[in-house]
Amino acid sequence: MRVCFHGTADELDLVAGRSLMVLLTARDLPRMRVFELHHARVVTNPYEGLHRLCADLTETEVNSDA
């Protein structure tokens, strides 16, 4: 799955530097889902100062012993 996040350069650098992302879900679904980030890159529009992180996400299994 390909996703994009918008934010400040500092916020996006924090996300891009991580290998895993945990997302909380709506009710009637598993409470948390864990995804691995692949090919994360931050794109900046130099004229408007906008920042966007684009990455591929792959859902991964969570070991309950961890």
Side-chain angles (χ1 to χ4, degrees):
M1 159 180 20
R2 184 104 172 130
V3 296
C4 291
F5 300 96
H6 296 269
T8 65
D10 291 339
E11 292 168 339
L12 296 181
D13 281 342
L14 286 174
V15 174
R18 306 205 184 269
S19 60
L20 295 177
M21 176 177 285
V22 177
L23 300 175
L24 299 176
T25 61
R27 63 173 186 224
D28 300 332
L29 293 172
R31 187 71 183 135
M32 290 191 313
R33 298 175 83 173
V34 178
F35 295 88
E36 290 184 61
L37 272 74
H38 304 280
H39 312 293
R41 65 186 185 100
V42 176
V43 178
T44 303
N45 181 332
Y47 301 106
E48 296 179 24
L50 302 175
H51 302 278
R52 181 177 70 216
L53 167 76
C54 294
D56 295 322
L57 294 182
T58 304
E59 190 165 7
T60 186
E61 300 250 341
V62 176
N63 184 348
S64 61
D65 297 333

mmCIF file with all atom_site columns, all heavy atoms in Angstrom, residues 27-53:
data_model
loop_
_atom_site.group_PDB
_atom_site.id
_atom_site.type_symbol
_atom_site.label_atom_id
_atom_site.label_alt_id
_atom_site.label_comp_id
_atom_site.label_asym_id
_atom_site.label_entity_id
_atom_site.label_seq_id
_atom_site.pdbx_PDB_ins_code
_atom_site.Cartn_x
_atom_site.Cartn_y
_atom_site.Cartn_z
_atom_site.occupancy
_atom_site.B_iso_or_equiv
_atom_site.pdbx_formal_charge
_atom_site.auth_seq_id
_atom_site.auth_comp_id
_atom_site.auth_asym_id
_atom_site.auth_atom_id
_atom_site.pdbx_PDB_model_num
ATOM 1   N N   . ARG A 1 27 ? -13.209 0.774  15.712 1.00 0.00 ? 27 ARG A N   1
ATOM 2   C CA  . ARG A 1 27 ? -13.752 -0.387 16.418 1.00 0.00 ? 27 ARG A CA  1
ATOM 3   C C   . ARG A 1 27 ? -14.165 -1.464 15.414 1.00 0.00 ? 27 ARG A C   1
ATOM 4   O O   . ARG A 1 27 ? -14.270 -1.196 14.221 1.00 0.00 ? 27 ARG A O   1
ATOM 5   C CB  . ARG A 1 27 ? -14.921 0.028  17.293 1.00 0.00 ? 27 ARG A CB  1
ATOM 6   C CG  . ARG A 1 27 ? -16.064 0.559  16.489 1.00 0.00 ? 27 ARG A CG  1
ATOM 7   C CD  . ARG A 1 27 ? -17.272 0.809  17.350 1.00 0.00 ? 27 ARG A CD  1
ATOM 8   N NE  . ARG A 1 27 ? -18.307 1.173  16.394 1.00 0.00 ? 27 ARG A NE  1
ATOM 9   C CZ  . ARG A 1 27 ? -19.144 2.139  16.532 1.00 0.00 ? 27 ARG A CZ  1
ATOM 10  N NH1 . ARG A 1 27 ? -19.150 2.817  17.635 1.00 0.00 ? 27 ARG A NH1 1
ATOM 11  N NH2 . ARG A 1 27 ? -20.010 2.419  15.606 1.00 0.00 ? 27 ARG A NH2 1
ATOM 12  N N   . ASP A 1 28 ? -14.375 -2.652 15.908 1.00 0.00 ? 28 ASP A N   1
ATOM 13  C CA  . ASP A 1 28 ? -14.723 -3.829 15.102 1.00 0.00 ? 28 ASP A CA  1
ATOM 14  C C   . ASP A 1 28 ? -13.562 -4.320 14.251 1.00 0.00 ? 28 ASP A C   1
ATOM 15  O O   . ASP A 1 28 ? -13.742 -5.177 13.402 1.00 0.00 ? 28 ASP A O   1
ATOM 16  C CB  . ASP A 1 28 ? -15.938 -3.571 14.200 1.00 0.00 ? 28 ASP A CB  1
ATOM 17  C CG  . ASP A 1 28 ? -17.178 -3.197 14.999 1.00 0.00 ? 28 ASP A CG  1
ATOM 18  O OD1 . ASP A 1 28 ? -17.280 -3.626 16.173 1.00 0.00 ? 28 ASP A OD1 1
ATOM 19  O OD2 . ASP A 1 28 ? -18.019 -2.483 14.462 1.00 0.00 ? 28 ASP A OD2 1
ATOM 20  N N   . LEU A 1 29 ? -12.385 -3.780 14.432 1.00 0.00 ? 29 LEU A N   1
ATOM 21  C CA  . LEU A 1 29 ? -11.170 -4.246 13.767 1.00 0.00 ? 29 LEU A CA  1
ATOM 22  C C   . LEU A 1 29 ? -10.141 -4.508 14.860 1.00 0.00 ? 29 LEU A C   1
ATOM 23  O O   . LEU A 1 29 ? -10.301 -4.059 15.990 1.00 0.00 ? 29 LEU A O   1
ATOM 24  C CB  . LEU A 1 29 ? -10.638 -3.183 12.810 1.00 0.00 ? 29 LEU A CB  1
ATOM 25  C CG  . LEU A 1 29 ? -11.498 -2.863 11.594 1.00 0.00 ? 29 LEU A CG  1
ATOM 26  C CD1 . LEU A 1 29 ? -10.920 -1.662 10.858 1.00 0.00 ? 29 LEU A CD1 1
ATOM 27  C CD2 . LEU A 1 29 ? -11.570 -4.056 10.659 1.00 0.00 ? 29 LEU A CD2 1
ATOM 28  N N   . PRO A 1 30 ? -9.068  -5.224 14.541 1.00 0.00 ? 30 PRO A N   1
ATOM 29  C CA  . PRO A 1 30 ? -8.005  -5.339 15.547 1.00 0.00 ? 30 PRO A CA  1
ATOM 30  C C   . PRO A 1 30 ? -7.578  -3.951 16.012 1.00 0.00 ? 30 PRO A C   1
ATOM 31  O O   . PRO A 1 30 ? -7.498  -3.026 15.215 1.00 0.00 ? 30 PRO A O   1
ATOM 32  C CB  . PRO A 1 30 ? -6.876  -6.041 14.788 1.00 0.00 ? 30 PRO A CB  1
ATOM 33  C CG  . PRO A 1 30 ? -7.561  -6.766 13.683 1.00 0.00 ? 30 PRO A CG  1
ATOM 34  C CD  . PRO A 1 30 ? -8.758  -5.934 13.320 1.00 0.00 ? 30 PRO A CD  1
ATOM 35  N N   . ARG A 1 31 ? -7.330  -3.804 17.300 1.00 0.00 ? 31 ARG A N   1
ATOM 36  C CA  . ARG A 1 31 ? -7.070  -2.484 17.891 1.00 0.00 ? 31 ARG A CA  1
ATOM 37  C C   . ARG A 1 31 ? -5.847  -1.793 17.291 1.00 0.00 ? 31 ARG A C   1
ATOM 38  O O   . ARG A 1 31 ? -5.856  -0.599 17.072 1.00 0.00 ? 31 ARG A O   1
ATOM 39  C CB  . ARG A 1 31 ? -6.887  -2.635 19.403 1.00 0.00 ? 31 ARG A CB  1
ATOM 40  C CG  . ARG A 1 31 ? -6.782  -1.323 20.127 1.00 0.00 ? 31 ARG A CG  1
ATOM 41  C CD  . ARG A 1 31 ? -8.104  -0.605 20.146 1.00 0.00 ? 31 ARG A CD  1
ATOM 42  N NE  . ARG A 1 31 ? -7.930  0.658  20.792 1.00 0.00 ? 31 ARG A NE  1
ATOM 43  C CZ  . ARG A 1 31 ? -8.415  1.802  20.344 1.00 0.00 ? 31 ARG A CZ  1
ATOM 44  N NH1 . ARG A 1 31 ? -9.140  1.821  19.262 1.00 0.00 ? 31 ARG A NH1 1
ATOM 45  N NH2 . ARG A 1 31 ? -8.208  2.910  20.978 1.00 0.00 ? 31 ARG A NH2 1
ATOM 46  N N   . MET A 1 32 ? -4.792  -2.554 17.054 1.00 0.00 ? 32 MET A N   1
ATOM 47  C CA  . MET A 1 32 ? -3.589  -1.969 16.478 1.00 0.00 ? 32 MET A CA  1
ATOM 48  C C   . MET A 1 32 ? -3.145  -2.808 15.286 1.00 0.00 ? 32 MET A C   1
ATOM 49  O O   . MET A 1 32 ? -3.292  -4.013 15.281 1.00 0.00 ? 32 MET A O   1
ATOM 50  C CB  . MET A 1 32 ? -2.445  -1.936 17.493 1.00 0.00 ? 32 MET A CB  1
ATOM 51  C CG  . MET A 1 32 ? -2.641  -0.956 18.600 1.00 0.00 ? 32 MET A CG  1
ATOM 52  S SD  . MET A 1 32 ? -1.140  -0.730 19.597 1.00 0.00 ? 32 MET A SD  1
ATOM 53  C CE  . MET A 1 32 ? -0.593  -2.367 19.910 1.00 0.00 ? 32 MET A CE  1
ATOM 54  N N   . ARG A 1 33 ? -2.598  -2.151 14.312 1.00 0.00 ? 33 ARG A N   1
ATOM 55  C CA  . ARG A 1 33 ? -2.011  -2.826 13.159 1.00 0.00 ? 33 ARG A CA  1
ATOM 56  C C   . ARG A 1 33 ? -0.620  -2.259 12.971 1.00 0.00 ? 33 ARG A C   1
ATOM 57  O O   . ARG A 1 33 ? -0.407  -1.056 13.098 1.00 0.00 ? 33 ARG A O   1
ATOM 58  C CB  . ARG A 1 33 ? -2.866  -2.617 11.931 1.00 0.00 ? 33 ARG A CB  1
ATOM 59  C CG  . ARG A 1 33 ? -4.258  -3.213 12.115 1.00 0.00 ? 33 ARG A CG  1
ATOM 60  C CD  . ARG A 1 33 ? -5.148  -2.912 10.985 1.00 0.00 ? 33 ARG A CD  1
ATOM 61  N NE  . ARG A 1 33 ? -4.898  -3.876 9.907  1.00 0.00 ? 33 ARG A NE  1
ATOM 62  C CZ  . ARG A 1 33 ? -5.640  -3.933 8.818  1.00 0.00 ? 33 ARG A CZ  1
ATOM 63  N NH1 . ARG A 1 33 ? -6.636  -3.095 8.638  1.00 0.00 ? 33 ARG A NH1 1
ATOM 64  N NH2 . ARG A 1 33 ? -5.382  -4.822 7.889  1.00 0.00 ? 33 ARG A NH2 1
ATOM 65  N N   . VAL A 1 34 ? 0.329   -3.125 12.653 1.00 0.00 ? 34 VAL A N   1
ATOM 66  C CA  . VAL A 1 34 ? 1.725   -2.720 12.514 1.00 0.00 ? 34 VAL A CA  1
ATOM 67  C C   . VAL A 1 34 ? 2.134   -2.862 11.052 1.00 0.00 ? 34 VAL A C   1
ATOM 68  O O   . VAL A 1 34 ? 1.838   -3.862 10.406 1.00 0.00 ? 34 VAL A O   1
ATOM 69  C CB  . VAL A 1 34 ? 2.639   -3.583 13.412 1.00 0.00 ? 34 VAL A CB  1
ATOM 70  C CG1 . VAL A 1 34 ? 4.103   -3.196 13.234 1.00 0.00 ? 34 VAL A CG1 1
ATOM 71  C CG2 . VAL A 1 34 ? 2.223   -3.449 14.866 1.00 0.00 ? 34 VAL A CG2 1
ATOM 72  N N   . PHE A 1 35 ? 2.801   -1.831 10.552 1.00 0.00 ? 35 PHE A N   1
ATOM 73  C CA  . PHE A 1 35 ? 3.244   -1.803 9.167  1.00 0.00 ? 35 PHE A CA  1
ATOM 74  C C   . PHE A 1 35 ? 4.740   -1.511 9.103  1.00 0.00 ? 35 PHE A C   1
ATOM 75  O O   . PHE A 1 35 ? 5.263   -0.760 9.924  1.00 0.00 ? 35 PHE A O   1
ATOM 76  C CB  . PHE A 1 35 ? 2.510   -0.697 8.382  1.00 0.00 ? 35 PHE A CB  1
ATOM 77  C CG  . PHE A 1 35 ? 1.039   -0.931 8.257  1.00 0.00 ? 35 PHE A CG  1
ATOM 78  C CD1 . PHE A 1 35 ? 0.168   -0.491 9.227  1.00 0.00 ? 35 PHE A CD1 1
ATOM 79  C CD2 . PHE A 1 35 ? 0.527   -1.591 7.155  1.00 0.00 ? 35 PHE A CD2 1
ATOM 80  C CE1 . PHE A 1 35 ? -1.194  -0.700 9.113  1.00 0.00 ? 35 PHE A CE1 1
ATOM 81  C CE2 . PHE A 1 35 ? -0.830  -1.808 7.026  1.00 0.00 ? 35 PHE A CE2 1
ATOM 82  C CZ  . PHE A 1 35 ? -1.692  -1.359 8.007  1.00 0.00 ? 35 PHE A CZ  1
ATOM 83  N N   . GLU A 1 36 ? 5.409   -2.105 8.131  1.00 0.00 ? 36 GLU A N   1
ATOM 84  C CA  . GLU A 1 36 ? 6.801   -1.773 7.839  1.00 0.00 ? 36 GLU A CA  1
ATOM 85  C C   . GLU A 1 36 ? 6.825   -0.711 6.754  1.00 0.00 ? 36 GLU A C   1
ATOM 86  O O   . GLU A 1 36 ? 6.056   -0.781 5.798  1.00 0.00 ? 36 GLU A O   1
ATOM 87  C CB  . GLU A 1 36 ? 7.555   -3.001 7.346  1.00 0.00 ? 36 GLU A CB  1
ATOM 88  C CG  . GLU A 1 36 ? 7.786   -4.036 8.407  1.00 0.00 ? 36 GLU A CG  1
ATOM 89  C CD  . GLU A 1 36 ? 8.621   -5.182 7.881  1.00 0.00 ? 36 GLU A CD  1
ATOM 90  O OE1 . GLU A 1 36 ? 9.778   -4.937 7.472  1.00 0.00 ? 36 GLU A OE1 1
ATOM 91  O OE2 . GLU A 1 36 ? 8.110   -6.302 7.872  1.00 0.00 ? 36 GLU A OE2 1
ATOM 92  N N   . LEU A 1 37 ? 7.703   0.279  6.908  1.00 0.00 ? 37 LEU A N   1
ATOM 93  C CA  . LEU A 1 37 ? 7.867   1.322  5.897  1.00 0.00 ? 37 LEU A CA  1
ATOM 94  C C   . LEU A 1 37 ? 8.987   0.941  4.945  1.00 0.00 ? 37 LEU A C   1
ATOM 95  O O   . LEU A 1 37 ? 10.062  0.534  5.376  1.00 0.00 ? 37 LEU A O   1
ATOM 96  C CB  . LEU A 1 37 ? 8.226   2.662  6.549  1.00 0.00 ? 37 LEU A CB  1
ATOM 97  C CG  . LEU A 1 37 ? 7.077   3.546  6.990  1.00 0.00 ? 37 LEU A CG  1
ATOM 98  C CD1 . LEU A 1 37 ? 6.434   3.012  8.224  1.00 0.00 ? 37 LEU A CD1 1
ATOM 99  C CD2 . LEU A 1 37 ? 7.558   4.946  7.178  1.00 0.00 ? 37 LEU A CD2 1
ATOM 100 N N   . HIS A 1 38 ? 8.725   1.067  3.654  1.00 0.00 ? 38 HIS A N   1
ATOM 101 C CA  . HIS A 1 38 ? 9.720   0.789  2.625  1.00 0.00 ? 38 HIS A CA  1
ATOM 102 C C   . HIS A 1 38 ? 9.787   1.980  1.677  1.00 0.00 ? 38 HIS A C   1
ATOM 103 O O   . HIS A 1 38 ? 8.771   2.594  1.374  1.00 0.00 ? 38 HIS A O   1
ATOM 104 C CB  . HIS A 1 38 ? 9.340   -0.445 1.806  1.00 0.00 ? 38 HIS A CB  1
ATOM 105 C CG  . HIS A 1 38 ? 9.134   -1.672 2.625  1.00 0.00 ? 38 HIS A CG  1
ATOM 106 N ND1 . HIS A 1 38 ? 10.170  -2.445 3.083  1.00 0.00 ? 38 HIS A ND1 1
ATOM 107 C CD2 . HIS A 1 38 ? 8.002   -2.260 3.096  1.00 0.00 ? 38 HIS A CD2 1
ATOM 108 C CE1 . HIS A 1 38 ? 9.694   -3.459 3.767  1.00 0.00 ? 38 HIS A CE1 1
ATOM 109 N NE2 . HIS A 1 38 ? 8.380   -3.361 3.798  1.00 0.00 ? 38 HIS A NE2 1
ATOM 110 N N   . HIS A 1 39 ? 10.968  2.284  1.200  1.00 0.00 ? 39 HIS A N   1
ATOM 111 C CA  . HIS A 1 39 ? 11.164  3.324  0.186  1.00 0.00 ? 39 HIS A CA  1
ATOM 112 C C   . HIS A 1 39 ? 10.590  4.673  0.630  1.00 0.00 ? 39 HIS A C   1
ATOM 113 O O   . HIS A 1 39 ? 9.979   5.382  -0.162 1.00 0.00 ? 39 HIS A O   1
ATOM 114 C CB  . HIS A 1 39 ? 10.557  2.926  -1.152 1.00 0.00 ? 39 HIS A CB  1
ATOM 115 C CG  . HIS A 1 39 ? 10.917  1.536  -1.581 1.00 0.00 ? 39 HIS A CG  1
ATOM 116 N ND1 . HIS A 1 39 ? 12.188  1.178  -1.923 1.00 0.00 ? 39 HIS A ND1 1
ATOM 117 C CD2 . HIS A 1 39 ? 10.162  0.426  -1.699 1.00 0.00 ? 39 HIS A CD2 1
ATOM 118 C CE1 . HIS A 1 39 ? 12.201  -0.102 -2.243 1.00 0.00 ? 39 HIS A CE1 1
ATOM 119 N NE2 . HIS A 1 39 ? 10.993  -0.594 -2.115 1.00 0.00 ? 39 HIS A NE2 1
ATOM 120 N N   . ALA A 1 40 ? 10.784  5.022  1.891  1.00 0.00 ? 40 ALA A N   1
ATOM 121 C CA  . ALA A 1 40 ? 10.287  6.311  2.389  1.00 0.00 ? 40 ALA A CA  1
ATOM 122 C C   . ALA A 1 40 ? 11.137  7.443  1.837  1.00 0.00 ? 40 ALA A C   1
ATOM 123 O O   . ALA A 1 40 ? 12.361  7.358  1.795  1.00 0.00 ? 40 ALA A O   1
ATOM 124 C CB  . ALA A 1 40 ? 10.320  6.333  3.913  1.00 0.00 ? 40 ALA A CB  1
ATOM 125 N N   . ARG A 1 41 ? 10.467  8.490  1.387  1.00 0.00 ? 41 ARG A N   1
ATOM 126 C CA  . ARG A 1 41 ? 11.189  9.674  0.915  1.00 0.00 ? 41 ARG A CA  1
ATOM 127 C C   . ARG A 1 41 ? 10.347  10.908 1.192  1.00 0.00 ? 41 ARG A C   1
ATOM 128 O O   . ARG A 1 41 ? 9.120   10.864 1.167  1.00 0.00 ? 41 ARG A O   1
ATOM 129 C CB  . ARG A 1 41 ? 11.543  9.582  -0.555 1.00 0.00 ? 41 ARG A CB  1
ATOM 130 C CG  . ARG A 1 41 ? 10.376  9.563  -1.480 1.00 0.00 ? 41 ARG A CG  1
ATOM 131 C CD  . ARG A 1 41 ? 10.854  9.321  -2.921 1.00 0.00 ? 41 ARG A CD  1
ATOM 132 N NE  . ARG A 1 41 ? 9.719   9.422  -3.821 1.00 0.00 ? 41 ARG A NE  1
ATOM 133 C CZ  . ARG A 1 41 ? 9.423   10.474 -4.553 1.00 0.00 ? 41 ARG A CZ  1
ATOM 134 N NH1 . ARG A 1 41 ? 10.198  11.539 -4.515 1.00 0.00 ? 41 ARG A NH1 1
ATOM 135 N NH2 . ARG A 1 41 ? 8.380   10.490 -5.336 1.00 0.00 ? 41 ARG A NH2 1
ATOM 136 N N   . VAL A 1 42 ? 11.030  12.000 1.486  1.00 0.00 ? 42 VAL A N   1
ATOM 137 C CA  . VAL A 1 42 ? 10.370  13.270 1.775  1.00 0.00 ? 42 VAL A CA  1
ATOM 138 C C   . VAL A 1 42 ? 10.516  14.163 0.550  1.00 0.00 ? 42 VAL A C   1
ATOM 139 O O   . VAL A 1 42 ? 11.607  14.339 0.022  1.00 0.00 ? 42 VAL A O   1
ATOM 140 C CB  . VAL A 1 42 ? 10.979  13.952 3.017  1.00 0.00 ? 42 VAL A CB  1
ATOM 141 C CG1 . VAL A 1 42 ? 10.349  15.315 3.244  1.00 0.00 ? 42 VAL A CG1 1
ATOM 142 C CG2 . VAL A 1 42 ? 10.808  13.074 4.245  1.00 0.00 ? 42 VAL A CG2 1
ATOM 143 N N   . VAL A 1 43 ? 9.405   14.717 0.102  1.00 0.00 ? 43 VAL A N   1
ATOM 144 C CA  . VAL A 1 43 ? 9.367   15.610 -1.048 1.00 0.00 ? 43 VAL A CA  1
ATOM 145 C C   . VAL A 1 43 ? 9.040   17.008 -0.542 1.00 0.00 ? 43 VAL A C   1
ATOM 146 O O   . VAL A 1 43 ? 8.127   17.189 0.259  1.00 0.00 ? 43 VAL A O   1
ATOM 147 C CB  . VAL A 1 43 ? 8.302   15.147 -2.066 1.00 0.00 ? 43 VAL A CB  1
ATOM 148 C CG1 . VAL A 1 43 ? 8.234   16.092 -3.242 1.00 0.00 ? 43 VAL A CG1 1
ATOM 149 C CG2 . VAL A 1 43 ? 8.577   13.731 -2.514 1.00 0.00 ? 43 VAL A CG2 1
ATOM 150 N N   . THR A 1 44 ? 9.785   18.004 -1.003 1.00 0.00 ? 44 THR A N   1
ATOM 151 C CA  . THR A 1 44 ? 9.580   19.388 -0.577 1.00 0.00 ? 44 THR A CA  1
ATOM 152 C C   . THR A 1 44 ? 9.290   20.256 -1.789 1.00 0.00 ? 44 THR A C   1
ATOM 153 O O   . THR A 1 44 ? 9.984   20.175 -2.794 1.00 0.00 ? 44 THR A O   1
ATOM 154 C CB  . THR A 1 44 ? 10.829  19.929 0.132  1.00 0.00 ? 44 THR A CB  1
ATOM 155 O OG1 . THR A 1 44 ? 11.141  19.086 1.225  1.00 0.00 ? 44 THR A OG1 1
ATOM 156 C CG2 . THR A 1 44 ? 10.596  21.342 0.636  1.00 0.00 ? 44 THR A CG2 1
ATOM 157 N N   . ASN A 1 45 ? 8.261   21.085 -1.681 1.00 0.00 ? 45 ASN A N   1
ATOM 158 C CA  . ASN A 1 45 ? 7.986   22.088 -2.705 1.00 0.00 ? 45 ASN A CA  1
ATOM 159 C C   . ASN A 1 45 ? 8.743   23.343 -2.285 1.00 0.00 ? 45 ASN A C   1
ATOM 160 O O   . ASN A 1 45 ? 8.383   23.991 -1.306 1.00 0.00 ? 45 ASN A O   1
ATOM 161 C CB  . ASN A 1 45 ? 6.484   22.363 -2.781 1.00 0.00 ? 45 ASN A CB  1
ATOM 162 C CG  . ASN A 1 45 ? 6.143   23.389 -3.839 1.00 0.00 ? 45 ASN A CG  1
ATOM 163 O OD1 . ASN A 1 45 ? 6.939   24.261 -4.166 1.00 0.00 ? 45 ASN A OD1 1
ATOM 164 N ND2 . ASN A 1 45 ? 4.950   23.299 -4.374 1.00 0.00 ? 45 ASN A ND2 1
ATOM 165 N N   . PRO A 1 46 ? 9.817   23.711 -2.980 1.00 0.00 ? 46 PRO A N   1
ATOM 166 C CA  . PRO A 1 46 ? 10.659  24.822 -2.536 1.00 0.00 ? 46 PRO A CA  1
ATOM 167 C C   . PRO A 1 46 ? 9.962   26.177 -2.570 1.00 0.00 ? 46 PRO A C   1
ATOM 168 O O   . PRO A 1 46 ? 10.384  27.101 -1.883 1.00 0.00 ? 46 PRO A O   1
ATOM 169 C CB  . PRO A 1 46 ? 11.840  24.789 -3.513 1.00 0.00 ? 46 PRO A CB  1
ATOM 170 C CG  . PRO A 1 46 ? 11.323  24.102 -4.719 1.00 0.00 ? 46 PRO A CG  1
ATOM 171 C CD  . PRO A 1 46 ? 10.271  23.131 -4.243 1.00 0.00 ? 46 PRO A CD  1
ATOM 172 N N   . TYR A 1 47 ? 8.905   26.311 -3.338 1.00 0.00 ? 47 TYR A N   1
ATOM 173 C CA  . TYR A 1 47 ? 8.240   27.607 -3.452 1.00 0.00 ? 47 TYR A CA  1
ATOM 174 C C   . TYR A 1 47 ? 7.198   27.836 -2.373 1.00 0.00 ? 47 TYR A C   1
ATOM 175 O O   . TYR A 1 47 ? 6.972   28.952 -1.950 1.00 0.00 ? 47 TYR A O   1
ATOM 176 C CB  . TYR A 1 47 ? 7.602   27.746 -4.837 1.00 0.00 ? 47 TYR A CB  1
ATOM 177 C CG  . TYR A 1 47 ? 8.621   27.619 -5.937 1.00 0.00 ? 47 TYR A CG  1
ATOM 178 C CD1 . TYR A 1 47 ? 8.689   26.477 -6.708 1.00 0.00 ? 47 TYR A CD1 1
ATOM 179 C CD2 . TYR A 1 47 ? 9.567   28.621 -6.162 1.00 0.00 ? 47 TYR A CD2 1
ATOM 180 C CE1 . TYR A 1 47 ? 9.643   26.342 -7.701 1.00 0.00 ? 47 TYR A CE1 1
ATOM 181 C CE2 . TYR A 1 47 ? 10.536  28.486 -7.141 1.00 0.00 ? 47 TYR A CE2 1
ATOM 182 C CZ  . TYR A 1 47 ? 10.564  27.350 -7.919 1.00 0.00 ? 47 TYR A CZ  1
ATOM 183 O OH  . TYR A 1 47 ? 11.518  27.217 -8.880 1.00 0.00 ? 47 TYR A OH  1
ATOM 184 N N   . GLU A 1 48 ? 6.563   26.773 -1.925 1.00 0.00 ? 48 GLU A N   1
ATOM 185 C CA  . GLU A 1 48 ? 5.518   26.924 -0.904 1.00 0.00 ? 48 GLU A CA  1
ATOM 186 C C   . GLU A 1 48 ? 5.934   26.373 0.451  1.00 0.00 ? 48 GLU A C   1
ATOM 187 O O   . GLU A 1 48 ? 5.195   26.478 1.414  1.00 0.00 ? 48 GLU A O   1
ATOM 188 C CB  . GLU A 1 48 ? 4.241   26.234 -1.385 1.00 0.00 ? 48 GLU A CB  1
ATOM 189 C CG  . GLU A 1 48 ? 3.657   26.872 -2.634 1.00 0.00 ? 48 GLU A CG  1
ATOM 190 C CD  . GLU A 1 48 ? 2.409   26.159 -3.103 1.00 0.00 ? 48 GLU A CD  1
ATOM 191 O OE1 . GLU A 1 48 ? 1.743   25.511 -2.278 1.00 0.00 ? 48 GLU A OE1 1
ATOM 192 O OE2 . GLU A 1 48 ? 2.095   26.263 -4.286 1.00 0.00 ? 48 GLU A OE2 1
ATOM 193 N N   . GLY A 1 49 ? 7.102   25.720 0.532  1.00 0.00 ? 49 GLY A N   1
ATOM 194 C CA  . GLY A 1 49 ? 7.572   25.169 1.803  1.00 0.00 ? 49 GLY A CA  1
ATOM 195 C C   . GLY A 1 49 ? 6.764   23.987 2.292  1.00 0.00 ? 49 GLY A C   1
ATOM 196 O O   . GLY A 1 49 ? 6.755   23.685 3.483  1.00 0.00 ? 49 GLY A O   1
ATOM 197 N N   . LEU A 1 50 ? 6.064   23.307 1.399  1.00 0.00 ? 50 LEU A N   1
ATOM 198 C CA  . LEU A 1 50 ? 5.264   22.152 1.778  1.00 0.00 ? 50 LEU A CA  1
ATOM 199 C C   . LEU A 1 50 ? 6.131   20.899 1.803  1.00 0.00 ? 50 LEU A C   1
ATOM 200 O O   . LEU A 1 50 ? 7.048   20.748 0.998  1.00 0.00 ? 50 LEU A O   1
ATOM 201 C CB  . LEU A 1 50 ? 4.111   21.949 0.789  1.00 0.00 ? 50 LEU A CB  1
ATOM 202 C CG  . LEU A 1 50 ? 3.154   23.131 0.623  1.00 0.00 ? 50 LEU A CG  1
ATOM 203 C CD1 . LEU A 1 50 ? 2.137   22.826 -0.468 1.00 0.00 ? 50 LEU A CD1 1
ATOM 204 C CD2 . LEU A 1 50 ? 2.462   23.428 1.937  1.00 0.00 ? 50 LEU A CD2 1
ATOM 205 N N   . HIS A 1 51 ? 5.833   19.983 2.727  1.00 0.00 ? 51 HIS A N   1
ATOM 206 C CA  . HIS A 1 51 ? 6.588   18.746 2.855  1.00 0.00 ? 51 HIS A CA  1
ATOM 207 C C   . HIS A 1 51 ? 5.623   17.571 2.811  1.00 0.00 ? 51 HIS A C   1
ATOM 208 O O   . HIS A 1 51 ? 4.540   17.608 3.411  1.00 0.00 ? 51 HIS A O   1
ATOM 209 C CB  . HIS A 1 51 ? 7.364   18.706 4.170  1.00 0.00 ? 51 HIS A CB  1
ATOM 210 C CG  . HIS A 1 51 ? 8.306   19.849 4.320  1.00 0.00 ? 51 HIS A CG  1
ATOM 211 N ND1 . HIS A 1 51 ? 9.550   19.872 3.750  1.00 0.00 ? 51 HIS A ND1 1
ATOM 212 C CD2 . HIS A 1 51 ? 8.170   21.024 4.966  1.00 0.00 ? 51 HIS A CD2 1
ATOM 213 C CE1 . HIS A 1 51 ? 10.152  20.999 4.044  1.00 0.00 ? 51 HIS A CE1 1
ATOM 214 N NE2 . HIS A 1 51 ? 9.326   21.727 4.779  1.00 0.00 ? 51 HIS A NE2 1
ATOM 215 N N   . ARG A 1 52 ? 6.038   16.494 2.112  1.00 0.00 ? 52 ARG A N   1
ATOM 216 C CA  . ARG A 1 52 ? 5.198   15.303 2.013  1.00 0.00 ? 52 ARG A CA  1
ATOM 217 C C   . ARG A 1 52 ? 6.110   14.083 2.069  1.00 0.00 ? 52 ARG A C   1
ATOM 218 O O   . ARG A 1 52 ? 7.111   14.005 1.364  1.00 0.00 ? 52 ARG A O   1
ATOM 219 C CB  . ARG A 1 52 ? 4.419   15.306 0.699  1.00 0.00 ? 52 ARG A CB  1
ATOM 220 C CG  . ARG A 1 52 ? 3.505   14.114 0.534  1.00 0.00 ? 52 ARG A CG  1
ATOM 221 C CD  . ARG A 1 52 ? 2.703   14.209 -0.737 1.00 0.00 ? 52 ARG A CD  1
ATOM 222 N NE  . ARG A 1 52 ? 3.604   14.030 -1.876 1.00 0.00 ? 52 ARG A NE  1
ATOM 223 C CZ  . ARG A 1 52 ? 3.482   14.659 -3.024 1.00 0.00 ? 52 ARG A CZ  1
ATOM 224 N NH1 . ARG A 1 52 ? 2.528   15.522 -3.225 1.00 0.00 ? 52 ARG A NH1 1
ATOM 225 N NH2 . ARG A 1 52 ? 4.336   14.439 -4.002 1.00 0.00 ? 52 ARG A NH2 1
ATOM 226 N N   . LEU A 1 53 ? 5.745   13.130 2.946  1.00 0.00 ? 53 LEU A N   1
ATOM 227 C CA  . LEU A 1 53 ? 6.454   11.863 3.036  1.00 0.00 ? 53 LEU A CA  1
ATOM 228 C C   . LEU A 1 53 ? 5.643   10.819 2.281  1.00 0.00 ? 53 LEU A C   1
ATOM 229 O O   . LEU A 1 53 ? 4.447   10.665 2.541  1.00 0.00 ? 53 LEU A O   1
ATOM 230 C CB  . LEU A 1 53 ? 6.600   11.428 4.490  1.00 0.00 ? 53 LEU A CB  1
ATOM 231 C CG  . LEU A 1 53 ? 7.035   9.986  4.703  1.00 0.00 ? 53 LEU A CG  1
ATOM 232 C CD1 . LEU A 1 53 ? 8.519   9.836  4.410  1.00 0.00 ? 53 LEU A CD1 1
ATOM 233 C CD2 . LEU A 1 53 ? 6.719   9.506  6.085  1.00 0.00 ? 53 LEU A CD2 1
#
